[in-house]
Structures are given as C-alpha cells and as structure tokens.
C-alpha cells in the first residue's frame, strides 16, 4: 500500500537518521563533558575538591596540546580556579555568566 511504502521508504529512514544524529551528538557532548565539564557551571567548579580540580586542569592542558605545545598551563589555571572557587557568587551560573564575571573582575588572565 502507499502508506506502507511511505512508512518504509521515508518515515523509518528519517527516524533512523534522527537516532544516529542524536547518538552522535550525545557522544560528542560526553567527550566535551570529560574535558571541559568542570568548567560548565559554577556549582561544578565550586564543588570540585583540590585533587579533582588539579586532575581536570591537567587533563585540559593535555587535551589542548598540539605539537608539544598547549594553549594553557595547568598549574596556573589550577591556582586561579582555586582562588575563583571562593570568589564567585554562590548562585549557580553557567559558562557565559562565568566568562562575564571573569571579564568584569579582570584578575584571572588564565581562567
């Protein structure tokens, strides 16, 4: 029937493509979460203990390394983020608000 043909030839293909696309995006997000997740919200940043924050900074430096050079220094970033944990507002804010906060205060050149 025409309905069955439409379902098999178009609808199911579109659904399959949507599932593949969502799966790909979810996998990509998980990859970003592993590298940058500690910076996604102020709550995540503030709840990180010293060891996990240091590890996250080290992992970020490695992830951004190309040809033996990195865009960041993990130790400098770690020191600034340790200070920033106590300096940030207590309400949970996202990455854009964190960047605006850093720009307003201009004391965190590495963060």
């Amino acid at each position: 029937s025409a309905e069955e043909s439409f379902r098999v030839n178009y609808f199911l293909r579109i659904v399959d493509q949507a599932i593949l696309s969502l799966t790909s995006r979810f996998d990509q997000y998980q990859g970003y979460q592993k590298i940058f997740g500690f910076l996604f919200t102020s709550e995540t940043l503030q709840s990180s203990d010293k060891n996990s924050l240091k590890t996250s900074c080290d992992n970020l430096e490695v992830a951004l390394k190309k040809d033996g050079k990195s865009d960041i220094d993990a130790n400098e970033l770690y020191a600034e983020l340790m200070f920033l944990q106590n300096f940030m507002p207590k309400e949970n804010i996202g990455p854009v608000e964190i960047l605006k906060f850093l720009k307003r205060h201009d004391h965190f050149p590495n963060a």
Side-chain angles (χ1 to χ4, degrees), residues 12-111:
L12 292 180
R13 287 184 183 180
I14 291 171
V15 170
D16 285 345
Q17 252 335 92
I19 291 169
L20 285 173
S21 180
L22 288 172
T23 301
S24 173
R25 298 283 169 125
F26 185 71
D27 291 343
Q28 186 179 40
Y29 177 79
Q30 284 183 317
Y32 292 149
Q33 174 69 25
K34 286 180 185 175
I35 298 170
F36 301 101
F38 72 109
L39 301 172
F40 281 177
T41 66
S42 61
E43 181 178 58
T44 305
L45 180 58
Q46 289 174 330
S47 67
S48 295
D49 62 40
K50 289 180 180 184
N51 291 333
S52 66
L53 186 60
K54 178 65 171 115
T55 299
S56 295
C57 290
D58 290 340
N59 291 341
L60 182 60
E61 180 180 7
V62 169
L64 297 177
K65 200 171 266 191
K66 183 174 182 181
D67 299 329
K69 297 178 183 175
S70 183
D71 286 339
I72 66 160
D73 180 301
N75 293 324
E76 290 178 10
L77 180 61
Y78 170 72
E80 287 188 13
L81 292 178
M82 286 295 298
F83 180 72
L84 183 61
Q85 279 183 326
N86 299 315
F87 190 66
M88 288 185 68
K90 296 303 175 200
E91 72 270 5
N92 189 26
I93 57 176
V96 172
E97 290 81 14
I98 292 172
L99 288 174
K100 287 178 183 177
F101 177 84
L102 292 172
K103 186 175 179 183
R104 278 194 312 273
H105 292 89
D106 199 28
H107 298 299
F108 306 95
N110 297 297

